[in-house]
Amino acid sequence: MTVNLRYRLLVALLAAATLVLFLLSLTVGPAGIAFGDSMVALFSGKADAVTLIMRDIRLPRALLGLMIGATLGLSGAVLQGYLRNPLAEPGLLGISATASLGAVLAIYTGLSAAFALALPLAALAGAVLAVVVVQAMAGTRGNSLLIILAGIAVTSFAGAMTSLALNLSPNPFAALEIMFWMLGSLTDRSMTHVWLAGPFMVVGWVMLGSLGRSLDALTLGSETAASMGIDMRRVQFLAVFGTAACVGAGTAVSGAIGFVGLVVPHILRPLVGSRPSRLLLASALGGACVVLAADVLVRLIAPERDLKLGVLTAIVGAPFFLWLVFRARRRLT
C-alpha cells in the first residue's frame, strides 16, 4: 500500500468515526430518546419537549465537541511542527491559562451573573492578551525557544492570578463555580456559545491550515526553510495568532480541556509518514473523535454526578504524557 493511499484511508476512517461519534453525541443522554425520534425531532418544526432537547441542548453540545476537538488536534499538530518539539501543545503558549483567568475574573467580579456572555467574552479577552504578551516578549524574529519561554511565563502568571482569585474569593459558591468551570465541560451550552466561538475558530483553522508547506520545510531546519522561500515571520504570526483565535474561543465556551492537543498528534504521526502537512487534517479529525467520545463517556459513566470533560481527558492524557517522557529518557540512555 502506497503512502498516499494509506493516508487517504486513514482520513476516511477518521472522518467516518467522527460522523458516528457526532451522531452518538446527539442521541446519548439521560432523556432516553430513541435514535429515530431524535433525528426526526432535530429536523421537525414541532415545538415539543423532544425537539427542545435536541435543538437547544444536544445539538450545541455535539457541535462544540466537534469544533473544540478539531481545534485542539489541529493546533497541537501545528505547534509541534512549528516549535519542532514533540511535547508542544496549545496550552504551552499560555492561551488556555489566560482565557481561564479572564473567565475566573468574570465570575469573581459578578459580571457573569449580571450578563450571561460576560464569561466567554472575558475568556476571549484573556486569550487575546496572552498572545499579545507572548508575541511582544518573543519578538517578530523570536525563535521557538523564546516563544516557549514566553508562554511558560504567561502561563505561570495566569495560574498565580487564578489561585489568588480563589484565595481571596469572599463567596464560597463563587469559588466552587470557578473550580467547576476550570475543569472543562460542554454541559448546558447553547447555540449562542456556538455562534460566539464559531467565527474565531474558523479564522484560526484557516490560519493554521495554511501552514502545511511551511511545516514540511521546517523539518529541514529554520535556516534551510528560509532559504527555500519560507517567510519565518509569517509562519510565526499564523501559528501563534491562529492558535490564539481557535483555542481561545474553545476555552472561552468550554473551559480548559487538556492533553488532546498533545496526545492526538503523537498517536497519528506514525500513521501519516514524515510530512507534517499530512498530520494537520488527520489530527483535526482525531481531536474531534477524542472530545466527542469523551463527552459521550461522561454522560454514561456518571450521569448523575456531572463528571467533567477535562477531568476525563486528563485521566487518559496524563499517563500517556508520562509514557512519552519515559520513552524519551530511554532514547537518551
Side-chain angles (χ1 to χ4, degrees):
M1 184 182 295
T2 64
V3 176
N4 287 335
L5 181 58
R6 185 173 61 184
Y7 171 69
R8 292 174 184 174
L9 180 60
L10 174 65
V11 170
L13 291 174
L14 288 173
T18 301
L19 177 60
V20 171
L21 289 167
F22 182 78
L23 292 176
L24 282 176
S25 183
L26 283 174
T27 54
V28 172
I33 307 170
F35 178 83
D37 295 336
S38 299
M39 293 297 101
V40 170
L42 189 61
F43 297 101
S44 70
K46 297 180 181 178
D48 55 7
V50 177
T51 303
L52 180 66
I53 291 172
M54 292 302 300
R55 291 186 177 178
D56 294 348
I57 299 177
R58 291 188 180 178
L59 180 61
R61 185 168 183 167
L63 287 174
L64 286 174
L66 176 69
M67 295 160 60
I68 292 170
T71 288
L72 295 174
L74 174 60
S75 58
V78 168
L79 289 179
Q80 289 178 18
Y82 169 62
L83 299 175
R84 297 186 294 284
N85 185 337
L87 299 181
E89 54 111 13
L92 189 65
L93 299 182
I95 296 167
S96 299
T98 50
S100 297
L101 175 60
V104 165
L105 292 177
I107 297 172
Y108 181 81
T109 58
L111 285 176
S112 60
F115 176 47
L117 292 180
L119 192 149
L121 289 174
L124 275 173
V128 172
L129 179 61
V131 74
V132 169
V133 172
V134 169
Q135 189 71 28
M137 293 175 66
T140 56
R141 297 183 180 179
N143 58 25
S144 58
L145 178 60
L146 288 177
I147 292 175
I148 291 173
L149 292 175
I152 291 174
V154 170
T155 299
S156 300
F157 179 77
M161 295 302 294
T162 300
S163 299
L164 180 64
L166 284 169
N167 184 205
L168 299 179
S169 177
N171 187 344
F173 298 103
L176 189 62
E177 184 180 356
I178 290 171
M179 288 299 300
F180 279 162
W181 188 88
M182 291 176 61
L183 295 177
S185 177
L186 298 177
T187 305
D188 298 330
R189 302 308 188 263
S190 67
M191 289 302 296
T192 301
H193 293 90
V194 176
W195 292 118
L196 176 65
F200 293 96
M201 288 188 176
V202 171
V203 170
W205 295 342
V206 172
M207 296 173 73
L208 296 179
S210 66
L211 291 173
R213 177 175 171 270
S214 301
L215 295 178
D216 288 343
L218 275 172
T219 59
L220 304 175
S222 57
E223 294 182 358
T224 304
S227 68
M228 296 171 61
I230 302 298
D231 186 348
M232 296 306 298
R233 293 184 180 182
R234 174 181 175 273
V235 173
Q236 177 181 327
F237 176 84
L238 291 176
V240 173
F241 280 87
T243 301
C246 55
V247 174
T251 305
V253 297
S254 70
I257 299 175
F259 291 100
V260 176
L262 171 66
V263 171
V264 171
H266 269 285
I267 293 176
L268 295 177
R269 185 173 288 107
L271 304 178
V272 300
S274 58
R275 291 181 58 183
S277 59
R278 288 179 174 168
L279 187 60
L280 302 186
L281 177 58
S283 291
L285 292 172
C289 288
V290 169
V291 173
L292 286 170
D295 191 44
V296 170
L297 286 175
V298 298
R299 303 180 219 178
L300 298 176
I301 295 174
E304 71 286 351
R305 300 299 298 271
D306 190 22
L307 177 63
K308 298 300 181 182
L309 182 59
V311 174
L312 184 60
T313 58
I315 289 173
V316 176
F320 183 85
F321 183 82
L322 292 175
W323 175 76
L324 288 177
V325 174
F326 177 73
R327 188 177 67 170
R329 178 185 174 186
R330 289 187 62 183
R331 288 179 177 177
L332 294 174
T333 57

